[in-house]
Amino acid sequence: MADGEDVHGLKGVLVMFQSCLDSKEEILMDPYLEGWKGLVRFLNTMGPIFSFISKDAVAKIQIMETFRGSEQQENYISLQAMVNYELTNGLVDLKQPGTYPTSGCRTILRLHRALRWLHLFLEGLRTSSPSSKTSTLCTDSYNASLANYHPWIIRKAATMAFYALPTRDAFLENMKVGTTEAAIEMLGEALPSISRVYDITEDLFTQHKLLDLP
Ligand code: 1PW
């Protein structure tokens, strides 16, 4: 998908994540961030209650866009280039917060953890029965992933926001792919690419011992 093309609805978002991988299976930063921006837009269509959730993602996307607009932009062309550049130049706080509170590595790590949640949630939705509750699916996927990194107060606020999620059918319809069946089929086709992006990032961060960055 070309830059600037509308990624409203969830399909565009998922396609964006598909286009993240280059021929060397490196994750390109720009489509990764575009994917996240589409996700935020999608989240915002579900009501103002999600703005506290999306606000943090927006702040993190902006940090990364600033790197991409800086003189160091080539060093942030992919996640792999970023890790290499920041580690080689000592630009990451590895053990405790310090000089680099907004390093690319720690910022991407937060988005990466949130991507796991999103994947689990959409996979749950895809395989759910028509009577399933989105709030339960969302809470379960959150508890199995991102919640482990959040303090009590954020967990509480997030779980409360989930109760405002639209019903399963409305949610599937909001994806703007057509019928609920079509939306489910689209998820089946598109979710493996999010999973792939997640796995490659996880391997990269594991390899460089970056999974616990403060
Ligand atoms: C319906 C499924 C939607 C998935 C959208 C994912 C958006 C994820 C954002 C969750 C943010 C919750 C509130 C913010 C918490 C931050 O403290 C936390 N950020 C994340 C992304 O986990 C940690 O960032 P920090 O404080 O270490 O900079």
Side-chain angles (χ1 to χ4, degrees):
M1 191 175 292
D3 267 355
E5 202 164 317
D6 184 26
V7 285
H8 180 70
L10 205 59
K11 187 169 183 183
V13 171
L14 298 175
V15 168
M16 204 44 94
F17 279 106
Q18 246 159 15
S19 66
C20 277
L21 293 175
D22 71 4
S23 55
K24 290 186 287 177
E25 293 241 291
E26 297 199 342
I27 300 168
L28 297 169
M29 189 70 78
D30 293 345
Y32 187 87
L33 298 178
E34 277 310 312
W36 265 105
K37 279 158 85 171
L39 209 54
V40 165
R41 276 198 292 274
F42 177 71
L43 210 58
N44 288 342
T45 65
M46 289 191 289
I49 194 143
F50 287 95
S51 68
F52 104 94
I53 293 189
S54 59
K55 231 161 87 181
D56 185 67
V58 167
K60 288 179 167 53
I61 294 164
Q62 271 167 2
I63 292 172
M64 298 315 301
E65 287 191 326
T66 304
F67 286 127
R68 281 294 290 145
S70 75
E71 280 182 6
Q72 295 304 328
Q73 53 182 263
E74 281 306 305
N75 291 317
Y76 288 87
I77 193 140
S78 67
L79 268 55
Q80 286 77 2
M82 169 192 79
V83 166
N84 183 28
Y85 168 71
E86 290 196 341
L87 288 183
T88 309
N89 292 283
L91 299 174
V92 185
D93 295 326
L94 296 171
K95 295 268 177 270
Q96 54 217 24
T99 323
Y100 304 106
T102 56
S103 69
C105 286
R106 68 92 63 196
T107 302
I108 289 289
L109 177 63
R110 269 59 183 179
L111 291 177
H112 168 67
R113 289 169 177 166
L115 198 62
R116 168 98 182 129
W117 167 35
L118 179 79
H119 182 263
L120 288 177
F121 172 60
L122 293 178
E123 183 60 23
L125 196 69
R126 187 181 78 82
T127 53
S128 63
S129 67
S131 61
S132 302
K133 280 199 157 64
T134 41
S135 56
T136 310
L137 293 170
C138 198
T139 306
D140 289 350
S141 52
Y142 175 72
N143 284 340
S145 56
L146 198 55
N148 294 310
Y149 304 99
H150 286 166
W152 180 85
I153 185 74
I154 290 189
R155 289 207 302 265
K156 189 84 194 153
T159 324
M160 280 174 65
F162 299 158
Y163 283 108
L165 276 173
T167 61
R168 177 182 179 275
D169 282 358
F171 197 98
L172 290 167
E173 198 176 299
N174 199 21
M175 289 182 190
K176 308 264 182 262
V177 232
T179 61
T180 49
E181 290 77 18
I184 286 179
E185 197 181 315
M186 182 279 286
L187 285 177
E189 284 163 19
L191 280 175
S193 62
I194 290 211
S195 186
R196 187 87 192 110
V197 167
Y198 177 87
D199 288 344
I200 294 175
T201 312
E202 182 77 5
D203 282 352
L204 177 70
F205 276 60
T206 305
Q207 207 182 326
H208 294 278
K209 301 191 172 54
L210 298 174
L211 286 172
D212 297 313
L213 293 179

